[in-house]
Amino acid sequence: MDNSPTSLFDSYQQDFTSITQSITQKLNEDLKGEARKASLRRVEIELDEAEEVLSQMEVEIHSMPQSLKAQYQARLKSSKSSLTTLKKQSKDLHSALQRSLLLSTAPGGAYSDDAEGGGDRERLLTGHAILENGTRRLDESRRIALETEEQGAEILRSLRGQREQIENSRDMLQTADRSIDRASGTLKKMIRRMYQQRFITAAIIAVLVILIALILYFKLR
C-alpha cells in the first residue's frame, strides 16, 4: 500500500480524470430532444461528483510537505480550469436545448406567426430567462457551500494544531512541576544539613570555651 503524502491526491486526480472524460464524451454526443435532456442530467450528476473530488484533492494538499505544495496546487488549478470549461459547455448545451424546446410550440416544430403565437414565445422566453437565473443562483449557492466546507475544514485543522500545542504545553508544565518538586526536596535537605552543621559547630565552640575556662581556672589556682 502506498503511504506517500501524495498517494491520495494522485488517486483522486485519477478519479477526476475518469469523470471528466465521461462528461466530455456525453457533451460531444449528437443527441436531440429527450435523449439530450437525459444525457445532460447525467452530466450534471457527474459535474457534482467532479466538484466533490476537487474538494478532496484540495484537502489533501494541506497535509502535504511544504516542498510539494506548489507543484500539486498547480495541478489542482489546472483541474479546476478543466471543470469550469466543462460546466460552461454543459450550460450552453442546456440553454440551447431549452430554447429549442420552448420555441418549438407550433405543430411540426414550426414557429407560429400570429399574435398569439408571438405572445406564447415571449412568455416562454421569459420563463426560460427565469429558469437560467435560478440555475445561476443554484450554482452560486453550491459554490458558497463548497467554500464554507473548505473553510470549516481549515478551521478544524487549526483547532487540531492548537489542541496539540496545548497538550504539549501541559506536558511541559507537568515536567517543570516535577522538577520544582525535586528542587524543593533538595533545598529542604540542604537546610536541614545547614542547621545540623550549625548545631555541631556551636557544640564544639561550647566545649572549647569550657576547656579554656577549666585550663585558666587550674592555672590561676
Side-chain angles (χ1 to χ4, degrees):
M1 181 177 180
D2 189 358
N3 293 321
S4 66
T6 62
S7 59
L8 280 176
F9 183 96
D10 293 335
S11 175
Y12 285 133
Q13 190 166 39
Q14 289 177 0
D15 293 341
F16 178 81
T17 301
S18 176
I19 294 171
T20 53
Q21 287 175 348
S22 175
I23 293 172
T24 302
Q25 181 181 357
K26 289 181 176 65
L27 291 177
N28 291 333
E29 289 176 339
D30 186 14
L31 300 175
K32 304 294 183 182
E34 292 300 323
R36 170 59 78 183
K37 286 178 66 176
S39 177
L40 289 178
R41 281 196 295 269
R42 290 192 293 270
V43 165
E44 289 296 323
I45 293 173
E46 290 182 334
L47 286 173
D48 290 339
E49 292 177 358
E51 191 80 48
E52 180 63 26
V53 172
L54 281 181
S55 298
Q56 296 297 328
M57 290 166 63
E58 192 161 7
V59 170
E60 288 303 316
I61 286 179
H62 291 292
S63 60
M64 290 183 185
Q66 194 65 35
S67 59
L68 297 175
K69 283 187 177 181
Q71 174 188 351
Y72 281 84
Q73 283 173 343
R75 289 169 60 176
L76 177 65
K77 183 177 180 181
S78 176
S79 297
K80 286 184 175 181
S81 177
S82 299
L83 185 61
T84 300
T85 301
L86 291 175
K87 283 182 176 181
K88 185 178 185 303
Q89 292 177 3
S90 173
K91 186 176 180 179
D92 291 344
L93 286 174
H94 187 78
S95 298
L97 177 63
Q98 289 294 327
R99 199 177 306 92
S100 175
L101 293 174
L102 291 173
L103 292 178
S104 299
T105 57
Y111 297 136
S112 175
D113 293 330
D114 58 12
E116 184 179 355
D120 290 339
R121 286 198 300 274
E122 185 67 26
R123 285 192 296 272
L124 290 172
L125 287 173
T126 301
H128 178 61
I130 294 173
L131 179 61
E132 285 189 334
N133 287 334
T135 302
R136 282 194 297 270
R137 290 178 181 176
L138 285 174
D139 290 340
E140 182 68 15
S141 299
R142 183 164 53 228
R143 183 185 64 80
I144 293 173
L146 288 172
E147 290 178 354
T148 303
E149 181 181 354
E150 293 171 2
Q151 291 174 357
E154 184 67 29
I155 291 172
L156 286 176
R157 284 190 293 270
S158 176
L159 290 175
R160 189 183 304 116
Q162 292 177 7
R163 184 184 65 185
E164 291 174 356
Q165 291 177 355
I166 291 172
E167 289 176 349
N168 292 335
S169 299
R170 183 186 61 191
D171 293 340
M172 292 175 62
L173 286 174
Q174 290 176 349
T175 302
D177 188 52
R178 288 192 294 268
S179 299
I180 291 171
D181 288 340
R182 287 195 295 269
S184 177
T186 303
L187 286 173
K188 287 179 180 179
K189 290 179 181 178
M190 292 174 65
I191 291 171
R192 283 198 300 270
R193 288 178 182 176
M194 181 186 68
Y195 282 121
Q196 290 173 355
Q197 290 175 354
R198 284 186 179 180
F199 177 76
I200 293 171
T201 302
I204 292 171
I205 292 173
V207 171
L208 289 174
V209 169
I210 293 171
L211 288 174
I212 292 170
L214 288 173
I215 292 170
L216 292 175
Y217 174 74
F218 284 113
K219 282 189 176 184
L220 291 174
R221 289 192 64 184

